[in-house]
Amino acid sequence: MVSHPAGYAPDLEKYLKTLKGQQLDTSVESLISLLKRRQIKGSEPCAVATAHILLQVVARSKWHDVDGLIDNISRIGRRLVEAQPKELVIANIVRRVLGLIRDEAAEDRNEGASGTPSEAQMTPTDTVHPDPKWPTSTPTKQDSVIDQVPNSPKPVLQSRPTGLSSYSSVNVPKTLFHLLSVSGPNDAESVLHGSPFGNSGTSTPSWRGHSAQVHSLRSEVIDGIEEIKDEISQVDDQIAALAEVQIHPGDYVLIHQPSATVERFILRAALKRKFTVLIATEPPRKQSSEVQHTSFRKKLAAAGITVINIMNGGLMAYMSRVDKVIIGAHAVVANGGVVADAGAAAVARAAKEQGNAVIVLSGVYKLSPENPFNEESLIEWGDSSSFVGFEDGAMVSGVEIRTAITEIVPPELIDTYITNLGTHSSDHLSSLIADHYKQEDVDFHLWNEGER
Amino acid sequence: MSHKGNSKGKKSAKAGAESKSEDVLQAVVLADSFQDRYRPFTTEKPRCLLPLANTPLIEYTLEFLAMNGVNEVYIYCGAHTDQVEDYISRSRWSTASRTCPFSVLQFVRVSDARSVGDVLRDMDKRSLVDGDFILVHGDLVSNIMLDGALAAHRKRRETSAANIMTVVLRSGGQEEHRTKTNGITPIFVVDTKTQRCLHYDEMSPLNSDRYMSLDPAVVDELSTEFEIRSDLIDAQIDICTPEVLALWSESFDYELPRRNFLHGVLKDWELNGKMIYAEIFDEGYAARASNLQMYDAISRDVLSRWTYPFIPECNVVPKQTYQRNINGVVVEDGVFHANDAKISNSIIGRNSTIGSASKVSNSIIGRDCKIGANVVLEDCYIWSDATIEDGTRITRSIVADSSTIGKNSTIPTGTLISFGVQIGEGTLLSKNAIISPVTVDGSPVTPDTDLLGAATNAAPLANPEDEDEDDEDPAILQKSLIYSIAEFNISTSSVSTLSSEVSDDDYDQVAHSIDADASTRSRLSSFASDEAGEKLSFHNDAVHGLLDALRADSGDFDSAKLEFMGLRLANDASDSMMRRAVAVAFARRAAELLTPEYGPLEPSKAAEKALTASNGATKFVDEVGVGGGEPEQVEFILALQKGLLHAKGPEQSRVGILLAALLQQLYALDILEEEGILGWWGDERAADGEGMVTLKDKCRVLVEWLENAEEEDDEDDSDDE
């Protein structure tokens, strides 16, 4: 027998491996149990898993028209949201995919009516690249132009993933807007590329129920989801690219329980700047020799950055020295409130009292159009054993223990939001939301269940 | 296009290769524990389907297995198998439904299993499991991630095939802890360095001695540094290799996985050469709802979220829709409660209603329950579809499905109300009452209308301890919802005086234990009484075996001898016990031959026949019965004398002659020597009591003749011939 260092317990990585070999239903169910058992947790893994499973739904579930697809996605999306309602990113990704489908469908309808209006929408990012940048796909495109006259636009559409996967990070901000934005300067090129679409549109008078059209929609949407997946994977890099602007030499930067995003951000800044990092952590329950965030500290030390570990309790004493506070977000709600690790709100409030800047790092996919009517409903409560050991019999039977995993940092405590699209103030968030979600999907949440 | 196709092909090929090389993890779930600690509920429903925090126990167990990436599950159900199979087939675990994370979920039926041991021996025969497997019980609640333990187990197993098992334990702290099992304290002796488990024992407040005997070999040979831990919570999660099943098969009399198997295998480490390890966790949760007290404790742990993520709020079971509200109230959809009802730290299932001014605290209420107005529920477990009418007060009790409790009743601590019980208005129950519509064996009871109201269908069940034969079993401490040792006259403060009191007359009581007072006996250590019982049973078995052999006409005594020696080894009987047994057997046989039933023979003939009828009998008496010098011979004759004294049937005078005849015969056969007989003659024990004197007197002639014979050696010799 071969040894398996990874063990048997399922996690995100193993789950993604099983996706291909399994029935769709099985995959959905197993993701739901993994979410419920909290074996996939944290905003990024949840988002990745959701994107993957929705891609499978689009590719493999049965649907004959747009409504059927939207129905499938909402049904499965809703079950995922129910499985872990505290992770807002799941609903975000579902909304993004729904928006994607609506766009593609609207496009196809428009094509059916008249070819022109959709063109700019369709290809804003593809056209940014000059052809030499992706030589492999060029021949395909040319082929497709030849093919498509007697056929459907399928080959053209399938050439897209190659193009998309080769995006450099520079172009990604564009891709995020691509659903809605009409990019003026590219118009000339887009017309050039747009003509085949126009042709194909006219060549198929009625696409509803037409299997070729379904096929094209399918691959369009799959490409869109692949794009979302790429976006998620690149978020940390893109946010980190903005680090040098934010962190200045000699700064004292306080970070609270650094997430991967925050670590990347700080490390990137450390490449160019000399500053001091203070890591605020929860006091460990057990006295262990292991210092928290050891590997991160080592990397920082290697970069020549001074690191100070402080427990949450000693925070106020340091706050007067601190210049900036950086918080990693689990999610950002519509009013600018941030769902972050428990303890972050106290840090933010302390910083506000001292007049220090509070910076929130969050991928755009974490930005939720929801506005919580009840903040309590967003707080995830965890395992009692984080603060009290189960072996302490008297505490177990005599004390009620509540452990919040997340809490909400009110918007008024936050100065700056840094996303993969840039730096924003809280006023700007609503336009970001409008850019990324369709109005009809904003209402997509758990409480829709009753109406259905 | 082509590029994409390539990558796809590669990936799937890779995935396929990996899944092949990955060995699957198997699990065996014992969903029947062969106990009745959940009475009266388990008369109608299997334990694993009883709801804990509104979720059947088996769900926790299966989720635990799924969480740890188990792939194949074998369930043994025992009683109520059909109900469990039906439940599973309709749940998400059904392998037909595509929602099941296991590739195999198979029910194992064992027709005549009477213990866990029988089931595991059967599993061995079927060889269903072929790799490492996890052995758990169907009432396990745990969120421990076993990856580390599994990897460690695999590594040890690869090092040596003798490392067969790893037990997974949770440290429970020195202090009192609600989730430790009451009544039985498991004690593990674990090597600190290698984590090898060296010894296992159980202690109970019913033990008179608070000692555990440790094999000196543990200190001498096995370990230089070990811990003796009594603080561990043992949820009986075992990571086993298939050799464990083989070992069960070898030990055909083991019943319990812990007290018999673990204890036995560790004790006989030299014999079987196997090693068992203990993995002690300081994180995570693991406990077995093995009795109602544990059910209570685990329910509390679920309420206070120790079992996370297996708490209602996570809705792990499909179709649950629990949400947490303020005050720690976790409710499902459709729950209605009046505005002025005070609810705290409780779980309430779908479509239940709670009337105005009711108070509910630390309780778990199932689905479709109707709780009236002004009801007070404290620390209660109300299962589905129950109706609690206005003004009733219930404290720390279990009310099972579809029960109705009338207005203004009072249900005090520790009450168990079984399925579908109707209780009338104004009922006042006593503490720890068990109310059931059926008896233990499932037949309907005569309704107790005086106590429970005119419309009732139930009656209080008789205390099940009454029919229990084994009073020493600490399991009786685990039968009620509320743990109490008060009724057993034991409290931790008085233990020391009690044990000194008992130890004085310990062995006397053991000797007379057949008619000893039951309550006194319950205080004796089970060890002592076991030993006494074993000795008695050895004597009886041996005597009967020998008698049968003597009576048999075939006359082959070799097999009887073999059996006798086997018996002796099994019981570890001493030489004197053997001698006594042989003497008594022959005495009885001889006495029998005097009676008309078998003879009737003259005493001398009878003696001769008893000793010489079977081939080898003479030799047997010589070697086994006597086998020694003067003191042994004296002892043998004494035993013979006593045996004849108690032999029923013929009158004493003839028996006396028989004794003389036997002695003469034995003397003639060179089994006894004159020194022995004379020694007996002089021994005062031979004249101890009236009957003994009578018998002794009859031998005077023989003794006198012997004394003369001694003087005239030549004559003696000639006489022999």
Side-chain angles (χ1 to χ4, degrees), chain B residues 288-301:
Chain B
R288 264 189 73 196
S290 53
N291 55 55
L292 287 166
Q293 293 150 18
M294 289 301 287
Y295 174 90
D296 182 47
I298 295 174
S299 299
R300 307 255 147 253
D301 292 338

Side-chain angles (χ1 to χ4, degrees), chain B residues 150-163:
Chain B
L150 281 167
H153 171 80
R154 194 180 303 118
K155 208 173 148 203
R156 281 193 291 264
R157 189 203 57 204
E158 277 160 10
T159 324
S160 160
N163 301 335

Side-chain angles (χ1 to χ4, degrees), chain A residues 29 52 71 110 163 173 179 195 238 240 278 286 297 302 335 438:
Chain A
E29 294 296 336
H52 273 92
D71 211 51
N110 289 343
L179 295 178
S195 53
Q238 289 163 6
L278 297 98
K286 286 211 184 79
R297 286 174 59 106
N335 67 1
K438 292 250 171 284

Side-chain angles (χ1 to χ4, degrees), chain B residues 536-551:
Chain B
L536 270 177
S537 77
F538 163 73
H539 184 77
N540 291 337
D541 290 354
V543 169
H544 280 136
L546 289 175
L547 263 180
D548 285 344
L550 288 170
R551 278 173 200 153

Side-chain angles (χ1 to χ4, degrees), chain A residues 75-345:
Chain A
R75 188 167 41 81
I76 287 165
R78 189 160 285 122
R79 294 192 59 201
L80 296 176
V81 172
E82 277 170 30
Q84 174 47 304
K86 316 277 176 176
E87 286 288 2
L88 298 175
V89 286
I90 299 176
N92 291 351
I93 300 295
V94 175
R95 287 190 191 104
R96 289 276 288 271
V97 172
L98 285 173
L100 191 73
I101 297 166
R102 287 185 216 278
D103 274 339
E104 300 294 349
E107 219 166 77
D108 282 358
R109 279 197 200 100
N110 289 343
E111 277 169 21
S114 65
T116 40
S118 66
E119 286 159 10
Q121 274 192 359
M122 186 68 189
T123 53
T125 46
D126 290 17
T127 54
V128 174
H129 300 272
D131 276 357
K133 245 194 150 183
W134 23 306
T136 47
S137 61
T138 321
T140 334
K141 276 222 159 159
Q142 283 165 350
D143 290 347
S144 70
V145 174
I146 301 155
D147 279 355
Q148 54 82 36
V149 181
N151 219 328
S152 69
K154 166 183 145 191
V156 182
L157 296 165
Q158 290 203 324
S159 73
R160 283 189 60 189
T162 26
L164 288 168
S165 57
S166 68
Y167 281 156
S168 69
S169 58
V170 187
N171 289 316
V172 171
K174 289 253 177 208
T175 74
L176 293 157
F177 284 118
H178 103 281
L179 295 178
L180 290 171
S181 65
V182 178
S183 43
N186 297 324
D187 266 354
E189 274 176 291
S190 67
V191 170
L192 194 145
H193 277 272
S195 53
F197 291 99
N199 281 346
S200 71
T202 44
S203 68
T204 47
S206 69
W207 71 266
R208 270 180 181 269
H210 197 287
S211 69
Q213 287 290 2
V214 166
H215 198 90
S216 84
L217 180 61
R218 194 186 295 257
S219 41
E220 292 264 0
V221 174
I222 288 175
D223 295 344
I225 297 176
E226 293 286 358
E227 234 172 273
I228 294 176
K229 278 158 65 178
D230 289 344
E231 180 198 326
I232 295 169
S233 66
Q234 289 164 0
V235 155
D236 284 357
D237 261 347
Q238 289 163 6
I239 292 179
L242 300 163
E244 289 157 29
V245 187
Q246 294 297 330
I247 296 178
H248 308 298
D251 269 356
Y252 280 77
V253 179
L254 179 85
I255 53 180
H256 177 254
Q257 298 191 358
S259 63
T261 314
V262 176
E263 285 185 11
R264 188 77 78 79
F265 187 82
I266 296 290
L267 286 171
R268 177 69 78 88
L271 290 179
K272 291 245 175 104
R273 310 250 190 264
K274 291 285 171 244
F275 54 100
T276 307
V277 174
L278 297 98
I279 305 178
T281 51
E282 299 287 345
R285 181 164 61 77
K286 286 211 184 79
Q287 290 301 322
S288 62
S289 50
E290 183 91 342
V291 182
Q292 287 163 302
H293 307 294
T294 316
S295 66
F296 178 50
R297 286 174 59 106
K298 270 188 193 142
K299 282 183 207 156
L300 281 176
I305 301 290
T306 320
V307 187
I308 303 167
N309 256 26
I310 47 176
M311 297 301 161
N312 259 353
L315 225 148
M316 277 307 276
Y318 286 88
M319 200 48 93
S320 54
R321 292 298 309 275
V322 169
D323 298 300
K324 291 188 177 70
V325 172
I326 297 177
I327 295 170
H330 283 260
V332 180
V333 291
N335 67 1
V338 171
V339 183
D341 280 331

Side-chain angles (χ1 to χ4, degrees), chain B residues 443-474:
Chain B
S443 52
V445 296
T446 351
D448 187 343
T449 44
D450 294 342
L451 178 67
L452 303 173
T456 189
N457 58 348
L461 273 195
N463 210 342
E465 285 151 37
D466 296 351
E467 68 221 45
D468 238 20
E469 289 163 30
D470 196 0
D471 281 332
E472 286 104 35
D473 191 354

Side-chain angles (χ1 to χ4, degrees), chain A residues 383-384 390 393 395-397, chain B residues 52-53 60 141 177-180 233 285-288 293-308 310-312 347 364 381:
Chain A
D383 195 346
S384 295
F390 185 65
M395 288 290 271
V396 168
S397 53
Chain B
L52 187 142
Y60 291 97
V141 180
H177 197 297
R178 67 177 174 211
T179 319
K180 287 181 188 168
I233 296 173
Y285 182 90
R288 264 189 73 196
Q293 293 150 18
M294 289 301 287
Y295 174 90
D296 182 47
I298 295 174
S299 299
R300 307 255 147 253
D301 292 338
V302 171
L303 263 176
S304 42
R305 311 172 66 94
W306 291 103
T307 58
Y308 183 89
F310 302 124
I311 52 173
I347 297 168
I364 296 170
Y381 307 100

